[in-house]
Amino acid sequence: MGRKPGYEDYAQFRLKYKKTCGFCGQQLSVGQQVLGQRQEPSWDIVCLGCGLDSPAVSPAPEPRPERSEPAPRGRVPAARREPPPSAWSRLIGYHRSCVVHESLTAPVPLHRRDRWTPFPLSFETVLCGGATQLPAPAPVSKLFEDLAPLEGVFYGWPTLVVRDRRGRPHVASLFIRGLDEPESAPGGPTAIPLNSELPHINTALLGPEWFDPELLGDVATVLADKVIGFGVATAMTDVTRRILTALGLPDADIDPRGLHRSPDEDDLWRPQEAGVFNLAMAFKGELDYAVRGLVKDLDWMARADDWQDSAARFLFETWTPEAPLPLEAGPIRLNRAQEHAVSVAATSPLTVITGPPGTGKSQTVTAIIAEAWRRGESVLLSSTNNKPVDDVVTGKAAQLDRALVLRTGNAEKRQELGSALTELVDEAAGRPVGSGFENLAEVTNDRRWAELDLQHHAELGGQVLTAAVHRDELRARTWRHQLPSPTHLPGIEKLANRVLRTRWRWLRRRRDRKFRGFAAITDPTVGAEEVVAWFAAERTFDHHYGELRRFLEDHPGDLPARLEDTDVLWREASESQVRELVRLGITGGSSVLLQLSEALTEELRCHDLMKGALRHAKGWATSALSTRPNFACSAAQIDLVVIDEASQCSLAQVLPLAYRAKRLVIVGDPHQLPPVVTADPGQLRWLAQQSGTTHPDLAARHHTYGDDSAFSAFAARFRPEPLLLDEHYRCHPDIIRFCNEEFYRNQLKVLTRVEYPEGARRGMHWHEVSGRTRPGPTGSVINEIEAQAIADWLATADVAALGSVGVVTPFRAQANLIERLLEKAGPHQVEVGTAHTFQGGERDTILFSTVVSEGAQPGTIGWLESQRNLINVAVSRARRELVVFGNDRAIREHGPRTLRALAEMTSGRSSASAAPPSAIVRRLHAALTARGIPAELGRTVEGYPIAIAITGRSGTLIDLEVSELPDGDPGGGLQRAFSLRDSNLRALGWQVLRIPDWQAYLEAGEVVSTVLRTARA
């Protein structure tokens, strides 16, 4: 048989190049393909592992030099002009590449004919073949004219027209590859070469702005199971159809061998409506303004040799904070965990705080900003999301002082600030000189002593209880049922010590027998040593008990109430001091602030003025992507930067903020929504290699663009672990119990005050709906019967009694369906959306549409479990009531684990999470029942567990609580929480009797008598 044409070249090709992928090390597929009229053979090299062309197989040509951007203002030291490769520069380069890659190929508005054009091709040979260049028709060549530094031209297939959230059409390609400028020729450009970047799926198209998150999850499943197969037409056709089906576009006519093309190339057919078109196209990609600022910051930082002077160094260094000093002022009411976090942030160069829902992150952040004012430090609050920033600025900060935090940001926010600054300067000038904080040092001292008294009380009580238990154990083992007469005890101790001092064994045995006879000890295992130990235990107990009694005599009354009284005086004096510092700062910097106001109003460059303003107005806030227009990119120019909702911030967005900070505070919750990243994992690996690093190395440091957040990157460097805000105040206790068990390992102390109108619904409720899950009209999934059940429920409910209402669902198509049903019924005030809609918000009543029922596909179930944080966000938005709509049987049989747990808890099938009663509580309960008092263990009231519940003669409800503090109580934090919890129960009509554990153990009879008096009253 004769060999096929090109066989020798093919054989040499296989010998010359490696057969493993340069990325993942797996086997490569090398095949021959002929497309259309092309007769010469071309070899397609596809990795079976990651689906990418490998640099080990097809070496990339030398990259064309990028157009340089003008250097930032200011002199750049010579050492920065060509810095040697370093971990810092590689990290910055990687994240810059990821930002550009993800943003540059975003869909183009359909009406922008100057930014995109169809490519007049009959066959697709770039993505589905081995073509290395393209023809250069005039409309395509025109796209290369006047390219800005951060623009590029791209080729793609197939073409999609999609609509954004406002319904505006945009055009984009599913697969793309970058193009270099056309090659010049005397008669005009003749060909357009492909650039060195590998072909890839257009992840800028596969984002939540264009497709529902659950559909993108299905696409990720397709890409995980299927090699893209660039260069192989059949493989590309198959994977394209599977991706389009996952996106809810299954009927598209896709064939790379027969593209749509108009006979008249001057009047090319253009898509005019949403859909998929078997058409190649070229488009001009550009970065939006906000991303341009981020990229410029990263460009500057890559050349910086002073980054180690900033808080950004903690991406490579670990930090363990020292024990913080007590706060000298507290203008915001804080619990112990919040106060500790503020104390650490006051001096630590890195502080990482994790704040689950409803634990007072905004209070903590406001207190950190106020403390910075007190210390004369500049502070900047930032986040990717505007909502947490605005919540602090317009919430707790505004209540303390409206000039505590100045809000800047994009052009609109800067204009607003320019208008407000003049008013703030005038208002500050008109304030009287502040007073009321002259005694701040005195009340601070009183408060510290009140805290120490609570702490000392817990320590003494713990010592007494430990000594009593030890004494009783030795007493029971030594004397069994009855102690000797007190008159015999001195003689017994004397003989026991004599036995222990005896060195001759025969004499010691003799004296030991005589001693046991004198002491009437019949147990041969008990000797003088045990008796001496018992005497020592008795003395230890007497010593500690005496100290406790003396302490209680010297400190009569309610110690937590005393701390609360001093705390009120402390806050009042602290508030006055902070307001006076703000007044002095604004009036002292009035000149520069008025100049800044003028510059902002006229949209002038204001970096120098902002630098001067920071010396006077200490508190500022901006969104992460608006940092550059407001603050110059220089290392450690801001004393303290606070990143809120850092778990939603990508590291790339926070890098410029960390570089500007001397000290950094990271606040976030890894169990809520992560950053929205659409980049393809395979492409991110390639970008890592192009930047001189590897994905495994980045992952080990928590520096990846796709899998990590700003929170995870800095939390990995903070020792021993992030500071937890552990007291919850938002949700009804029954509601937050689910989140506490499923996501927070029962670390949260639930202290929500349950105060609702008479008859108001509250807690968690299950609403059974036997619907069916099916694909929506434009993708995603819907459950029409469940959506109608929600609409009917709202139609018959007293919406005014429900308070603020929200409907949340994991699936956007279901949210759209419910919204249409509610609009059809008439005007309403109910907000409907996915968990992303409600992130950072809250409602009195939340209706949760699970959608999962008969017909739910495994891909939908898998996606929902992979996005389990959505359920945490959805549930924790409900303050008063959560109503879950779903098919209980279907969820139990087919649903994801987290949704099953929610169904079990909501329908009452799961057991309560309250810890079993301790030995002391059981002992006290036995003493009560022995006196005939009806006492109940294990009862809960509005989600609060009751240690011992008693119903008095006249129906009085008594909650008998035992304060158990085995590890002490630093700062009295637990006793303060107990006091708040008891106050919440009293508001529900219960009388709370709280006794310390040592008293329940030693004085059970007195406790029972107190309970009897209360129950008979």
Side-chain angles (χ1 to χ4, degrees):
M1 294 178 63
R3 293 179 176 177
K4 295 181 180 180
Y7 179 84
E8 294 81 0
D9 295 336
Y10 174 63
Q12 294 176 4
F13 182 91
R14 294 198 61 175
L15 290 173
K16 181 178 179 181
Y17 293 102
K18 297 179 181 179
K19 301 178 185 178
T20 57
C21 178
F23 295 136
C24 63
Q26 295 194 36
Q27 183 181 1
L28 294 168
S29 173
V30 182
Q32 184 176 8
Q33 177 155 345
V34 177
L35 270 183
Q37 303 301 316
R38 181 171 178 167
Q39 298 301 319
E40 64 275 17
S42 64
W43 295 287
D44 308 307
I45 303 93
V46 180
C47 174
L48 299 179
C50 59
L52 297 174
D53 287 346
S54 172
V57 184
S58 52
E62 289 295 324
R64 296 169 63 90
E66 295 184 0
R67 299 189 180 190
S68 60
E69 184 182 0
R73 294 183 62 182
R75 184 177 62 87
V76 180
R80 293 189 189 177
R81 293 174 186 165
E82 294 183 2
S86 65
W88 169 256
S89 61
R90 289 194 296 270
L91 177 66
I92 298 297
Y94 163 74
H95 280 279
R96 180 197 184 279
S97 300
C98 293
V99 169
V100 173
H101 167 77
E102 191 175 47
S103 306
L104 199 58
T105 57
V108 178
L110 189 64
H111 69 277
R112 291 295 304 273
R113 299 292 183 90
D114 60 322
R115 302 198 67 84
W116 75 279
T117 182
F119 227 115
L121 298 175
S122 299
F123 308 103
E124 205 300 298
T125 58
V126 173
L127 303 167
C128 302
T132 59
Q133 63 181 17
L134 289 162
V140 176
S141 300
K142 191 174 180 180
L143 295 176
F144 289 90
E145 297 176 2
D146 302 322
L147 279 179
L150 291 176
E151 287 186 329
V153 178
F154 298 86
Y155 166 89
W157 169 88
T159 298
L160 278 72
V161 176
V162 293
R163 295 186 182 275
D164 63 13
R165 297 301 170 212
R166 298 182 181 179
R168 298 172 299 188
H170 289 65
V171 63
S173 298
L174 183 60
F175 299 104
I176 57 176
R177 184 158 187 180
L179 301 177
D180 280 338
E181 293 188 11
E183 297 175 352
S184 300
T190 59
I192 301 176
L194 306 177
N195 69 16
S196 60
E197 185 179 3
L198 299 172
H200 57 274
I201 193 167
N202 186 0
T203 51
L205 169 66
L206 300 179
E209 174 68 14
W210 313 103
F211 294 100
D212 296 335
E214 58 271 21
L215 298 183
L216 300 179
D218 291 341
V219 172
T221 302
V222 171
L223 295 177
D225 297 337
K226 182 73 175 178
V227 176
I228 291 181
F230 288 114
V232 182
T234 53
M236 286 294 294
T237 302
D238 177 61
V239 75
T240 301
R241 287 174 176 164
R242 293 184 61 181
I243 291 173
L244 294 176
T245 299
L247 292 174
L249 306 168
D251 299 327
D253 182 16
I254 297 299
D255 183 6
R257 299 175 180 83
L259 301 182
H260 296 313
R261 180 184 177 189
S262 171
D264 185 359
E265 294 187 6
D266 295 329
D267 185 26
L268 291 174
W269 175 77
R270 291 175 181 266
Q272 298 297 322
E273 58 186 14
V276 182
F277 303 89
N278 189 34
L279 180 74
M281 65 173 285
F283 64 95
K284 183 187 293 188
E286 65 174 343
L287 300 179
D288 62 42
Y289 183 77
V291 176
R292 284 174 180 268
L294 173 60
V295 171
K296 289 178 181 179
D297 272 351
L298 295 174
D299 283 339
W300 171 267
M301 292 159 57
R303 296 176 286 164
D305 58 3
D306 55 356
W307 60 273
Q308 289 180 315
D309 299 331
S310 73
R313 71 182 187 273
F314 292 110
L315 290 168
F316 303 96
E317 299 177 13
T318 58
W319 177 255
T320 302
E322 299 177 353
L325 296 174
L327 289 176
E328 297 179 359
I332 304 293
R333 183 186 179 94
L334 302 174
N335 59 45
R336 179 63 182 174
Q338 293 168 334
E339 192 174 322
H340 177 69
V342 176
S343 300
V344 173
T347 56
S348 175
L350 176 66
T351 306
V352 181
I353 304 168
T354 178
T359 54
K361 292 190 292 292
S362 62
Q363 285 177 271
T364 307
V365 169
T366 304
I368 290 172
I369 295 172
E371 178 63 17
W373 268 96
R374 287 192 62 262
R375 300 171 72 89
E377 298 173 339
S378 57
V379 56
L380 174 63
L381 168 64
S382 187
S383 179
T384 301
N385 188 353
N386 282 321
K387 190 175 189 329
V389 174
D390 292 333
D391 284 350
V392 171
V393 173
T394 62
K396 299 294 182 182
Q399 293 172 17
L400 182 56
D401 194 299
R402 61 183 298 230
L404 186 76
V405 183
L406 303 180
R407 178 68 159 98
T408 185
N410 57 21
E412 180 182 354
K413 293 293 185 182
R414 292 197 299 276
Q415 285 284 339
E416 293 176 1
L417 176 62
S419 302
L421 275 176
T422 302
E423 179 186 347
L424 287 174
V425 169
D426 292 341
E427 189 268 338
R431 290 191 199 179
V433 175
S435 61
F437 55 90
E438 297 83 0
N439 65 336
L440 178 59
E442 179 183 347
V443 296
T444 300
N445 187 62
D446 291 344
R447 184 178 183 275
R448 288 179 185 171
W449 278 112
E451 283 186 332
L452 288 174
D453 287 343
L454 270 180
Q455 180 174 323
H456 191 42
H457 178 240
E459 292 170 351
L460 290 175
Q463 291 168 358
V464 167
L465 180 61
T466 301
V469 171
H470 182 58
R471 176 203 65 178
D472 290 349
E473 289 175 350
L474 292 178
R475 177 184 291 179
R477 188 163 67 244
T478 304
W479 304 111
R480 299 300 182 187
H481 303 296
Q482 187 174 5
L483 286 172
S485 169
T487 59
H488 290 172
L489 289 178
I492 291 173
E493 184 177 17
K494 181 178 180 181
L495 285 176
N497 285 320
R498 184 183 179 193
V499 170
L500 294 182
R501 290 196 301 268
T502 303
R503 287 185 287 180
W504 290 284
R505 292 182 181 178
W506 65 272
L507 183 57
R508 180 165 182 164
R509 288 194 297 270
R510 179 178 176 182
R511 288 178 174 177
D512 194 42
R513 286 193 300 270
K514 182 179 180 181
F515 160 75
R516 283 201 298 272
F518 178 80
I521 297 175
T522 59
D523 187 350
T525 63
V526 176
E529 188 173 354
E530 286 74 17
V531 172
V532 169
W534 170 73
F535 274 110
E538 290 282 359
R539 291 192 177 92
T540 300
F541 168 76
D542 291 340
H543 169 73
H544 290 311
Y545 193 62
E547 282 195 335
L548 177 60
R549 283 301 179 189
R550 286 190 293 273
F551 175 85
L552 293 177
E553 290 172 2
D554 295 338
H555 301 82
D558 189 342
L559 293 178
R562 178 190 160 201
L563 175 58
E564 178 62 25
D565 292 341
T566 60
D567 197 58
V568 170
L569 297 175
W570 187 54
R571 285 202 306 274
E572 290 175 351
S574 301
E575 288 173 8
S576 299
Q577 184 193 47
V578 171
R579 290 193 181 105
E580 176 62 8
L581 291 172
V582 172
R583 184 191 72 82
L584 292 173
I586 300 298
T587 54
S590 59
S591 175
V592 68
L593 290 174
L594 290 175
Q595 293 179 53
L596 177 62
S597 172
E598 183 178 353
L600 291 171
T601 303
E602 298 181 4
E603 299 184 3
L604 302 177
R605 181 182 174 87
C606 60
H607 283 175
D608 293 337
L609 291 172
M610 186 66 77
K611 186 176 181 180
L614 285 170
R615 300 191 186 100
H616 303 280
K618 299 299 183 181
W620 297 82
T622 184
S623 60
L625 292 179
S626 298
T627 304
R628 184 177 178 84
N630 294 280
F631 303 95
C633 189
S634 60
Q637 65 163 303
I638 301 172
D639 294 318
L640 180 65
V641 171
V642 181
I643 307 297
D644 200 0
E645 299 289 2
S647 297
Q648 297 181 55
C649 302
S650 69
L651 179 57
Q653 295 167 333
V654 172
L655 275 167
L657 289 158
Y659 177 69
R660 287 170 167 87
K662 289 182 184 176
R663 305 202 321 278
L664 184 65
V665 176
I666 297 291
V667 185
D669 179 8
H671 298 295
Q672 295 195 56
L673 300 181
V676 177
V677 174
T678 62
D680 174 63
Q683 195 69 16
L684 292 179
R685 284 172 168 77
W686 182 80
L687 291 173
Q689 284 204 340
Q690 294 296 103
S691 302
T693 183
T694 65
H695 181 81
D697 182 59
L698 292 166
R701 295 175 176 267
H702 295 276
H703 289 172
T704 64
Y705 186 77
D707 298 329
D708 290 296
S709 65
F711 181 88
S712 64
F714 285 100
R717 303 285 172 232
F718 189 75
R719 300 290 187 270
E721 60 184 357
L723 309 177
L724 174 67
L725 306 182
D726 60 356
E727 294 186 10
H728 177 91
Y729 306 100
R730 176 198 293 165
C731 305
H732 187 281
D734 281 339
I735 296 173
I736 198 61
R737 180 166 74 93
F738 167 76
C739 303
N740 200 9
E741 291 185 5
E742 282 294 315
F743 295 93
Y744 302 108
R745 298 178 296 169
N746 279 321
Q747 291 179 292
L748 301 184
K749 295 186 279 290
V750 181
L751 298 170
T752 307
R753 193 170 184 85
V754 183
E755 289 183 314
Y756 305 134
E758 184 67 26
R761 291 166 53 96
R762 50 191 178 268
M764 299 175 72
H765 301 94
W766 180 265
H767 191 99
E768 179 67 21
V769 182
S770 297
R772 185 170 184 81
T773 306
R774 69 174 185 84
T778 58
S780 187
V781 292
I782 60 174
N783 188 324
E784 293 166 312
I785 297 178
E786 190 173 290
Q788 188 62 55
I790 291 174
D792 294 342
W793 191 95
L794 288 170
T796 58
D798 183 357
V799 178
L802 295 176
S804 57
V805 182
V807 179
V808 62
T809 177
F811 304 98
R812 185 172 293 161
Q814 180 78 349
N816 295 338
L817 174 59
I818 296 171
E819 179 67 33
R820 290 196 300 271
L821 291 173
L822 295 181
E823 290 178 350
K824 185 178 179 181
H828 62 88
Q829 300 297 320
V830 178
E831 184 172 8
V832 183
T834 64
H836 296 81
T837 306
F838 290 89
Q839 174 67 43
E842 55 189 58
R843 296 292 184 275
D844 291 323
T845 301
I846 286 289
L847 310 183
F848 183 34
S849 176
T850 62
V851 182
V852 174
S853 188
E854 300 294 338
Q857 298 300 310
T860 300
I861 303 299
W863 174 83
L864 191 55
E865 183 60 22
S866 70
Q867 303 294 319
R868 64 191 302 263
N869 285 6
L870 295 175
I871 299 177
N872 183 33
V873 173
V875 171
S876 60
R877 300 310 98 187
R879 285 194 295 256
R880 180 195 304 171
E881 182 184 18
L882 174 73
V883 185
V884 183
F885 290 73
N887 186 328
D888 184 67
R889 183 183 61 81
I891 289 176
R892 277 190 285 119
E893 294 179 356
H894 309 296
R897 190 201 64 80
T898 307
L899 195 57
R900 289 200 306 271
L902 177 63
E904 289 175 0
M905 189 172 294
T906 308
S907 59
R909 295 196 308 274
S910 66
S911 58
S913 61
S918 66
I920 295 177
V921 171
R922 291 196 303 271
R923 176 174 173 170
L924 185 58
H925 177 260
L928 290 167
T929 55
R931 293 284 297 273
I933 301 175
E936 179 185 354
L937 288 174
R939 185 171 177 181
T940 60
V941 176
E942 297 288 357
Y944 280 105
I946 305 294
I948 302 176
I950 303 162
T951 303
R953 177 177 297 171
S954 58
T956 304
L957 300 174
I958 302 172
D959 171 20
L960 181 58
E961 292 293 327
V962 178
S963 297
E964 299 183 64
L965 303 167
D967 300 320
D969 188 16
L974 287 175
Q975 294 173 81
R976 292 162 63 185
F978 291 159
S979 180
L980 181 57
R981 177 260 181 209
D982 295 347
S983 175
N984 293 342
L985 264 294
R986 292 188 183 100
L988 293 171
W990 285 72
Q991 291 193 31
V992 182
L993 300 178
R994 180 171 290 278
I995 58 174
D997 49 7
W998 62 266
Q999 186 178 7
Y1001 183 84
L1002 292 172
E1003 303 170 3
E1006 294 183 17
V1007 173
V1008 171
S1009 298
T1010 301
V1011 172
L1012 274 172
R1013 288 193 298 271
T1014 305
R1016 289 170 177 168

